[in-house]
Amino acid sequence: MRILVTNDDGIHARGLGVAETIARRFSDDIWVVAPAEEQSGAGHSLTLTRPLRLRQHGERRFSVTGTPTDAVMMALLEVLDGPPDLILSGVNRGANLGEDVTYSGTVSAAMEGALAGIRSVALSQVHARQAAGEDVSFAVAEAWGERAIRPLLDTPFAPGMLVNINFPALPPEEVKGIRVVEQGIRDYGRARMVRHTDPRGFPYYWLHFGGIVYTAAQDTDLEAIAGGHVTVTPLHLDLTYREALSSLAASY
Ligand code: MN
């Protein structure tokens, strides 16, 4: 089995190494093609206005000066001599829960894999607010990754389907198990633009998702992760909201 490992935190991210370690439990045929720089929040964006550079770091290890989607395309169209059987994207430093999936480069790399008809899984490690940056622990992803992924190797994936996995911010021995749940939506976010002044006296802004407040709906990823579970959520690239089709058609 050939596995492509990618991410959105970049080729040097610690979580990428965690994903590689998990991948090696399943196969020796592991290829890494990841963005050269961090691309968190890049979503499913493509680079169309600049050239891409491909750098080789090892026999089966490459970086691309673009987005996670660029990296997956580069892997499938240029680097690999045949399609992989599985794409693992991550392990992301931080949650990809609820509507995060629409911003996430990690999830979008898996979307690109799904578009290419390849079994694709996004992996994200939630962390406590006080343990951000380089202090994030990937211990739960390391301990639970193989168990969370193995059933996905021979379960059917419909065309356009991908799977989003999140590991809770707990010591591994406190994890309650694995739950298959829906994507949630947060009720209320306190995002703000943090304004500072640069050394030349001009203002600059930094988006900050401070103190997100929400009540998680039952059987969603948000609820299950808060309860200490590893969450497994099937996603689909068809974003049609079917409940609105007939009422919207009647409005025209
Ligand atoms: Mn990221």
Side-chain angles (χ1 to χ4, degrees), residues 197-202 204:
T197 305
D198 74 20
R200 296 173 62 235
F202 295 101
Y204 68 92

Side-chain angles (χ1 to χ4, degrees), residues 35-36 39 42-53 64-74 112:
Q39 296 288 324
H44 201 180
S45 58
L46 285 170
T47 299
L48 296 174
T49 55
R50 287 179 287 109
L52 299 175
R53 304 290 179 180
V64 179
T65 58
T67 67
T69 299
D70 294 329
V72 171
M73 286 193 162
M74 187 69 84
E112 191 55 33

Side-chain angles (χ1 to χ4, degrees), residues 7-13 35 37-40 91-93 106:
N7 73 351
D8 80 354
D9 292 335
I11 188 79
H12 301 298
E37 302 283 346
E38 179 168 351
Q39 296 288 324
S40 294
V91 179
N92 188 57
R93 189 200 311 108
T106 304

Side-chain angles (χ1 to χ4, degrees), residues 10-89:
I11 188 79
H12 301 298
R14 221 153 27 91
L16 185 69
V18 175
E20 282 182 73
T21 303
I22 296 169
R24 288 195 195 285
R25 310 251 171 88
F26 303 117
S27 173
D28 292 325
D29 190 8
I30 310 297
W31 293 72
V32 177
V33 184
E37 302 283 346
E38 179 168 351
Q39 296 288 324
S40 294
H44 201 180
S45 58
L46 285 170
T47 299
L48 296 174
T49 55
R50 287 179 287 109
L52 299 175
R53 304 290 179 180
L54 177 66
R55 298 191 186 114
Q56 186 158 10
H57 301 264
E59 193 195 339
R60 296 179 184 176
R61 190 177 181 84
F62 299 81
S63 68
V64 179
T65 58
T67 67
T69 299
D70 294 329
V72 171
M73 286 193 162
M74 187 69 84
L76 301 183
L77 301 175
E78 179 68 21
V79 179
L80 276 62
D81 55 10
D85 305 290
L86 176 70
I87 295 177
L88 297 179
S89 177

Side-chain angles (χ1 to χ4, degrees), residues 187-249:
D187 301 332
Y188 179 60
R190 256 184 229 153
R192 61 198 171 99
M193 284 293 171
V194 178
R195 185 183 197 270
H196 289 292
T197 305
D198 74 20
R200 296 173 62 235
F202 295 101
Y204 68 92
Y205 298 84
W206 212 299
L207 184 59
H208 181 61
F209 287 100
I212 292 170
V213 178
Y214 61 90
T215 310
Q218 276 295 109
D219 298 323
T220 62
D221 52 5
L222 294 166
E223 185 244 344
I225 206 97
H229 287 85
V230 174
T231 65
V232 176
T233 300
L235 300 177
H236 200 280
L237 285 161
D238 180 354
L239 300 179
T240 309
Y241 181 47
R242 294 203 157 64
E243 280 82 346
L245 271 177
S246 56
S247 66
L248 196 56

Side-chain angles (χ1 to χ4, degrees), residues 83-121:
D85 305 290
L86 176 70
I87 295 177
L88 297 179
S89 177
V91 179
N92 188 57
R93 189 200 311 108
N96 279 307
L97 296 160
E99 65 271 38
D100 295 341
V101 300
T102 63
Y103 303 112
S104 170
T106 304
V107 174
S108 295
M111 286 181 178
E112 191 55 33
L115 281 173
I118 297 157
R119 194 171 287 260
S120 298
V121 181

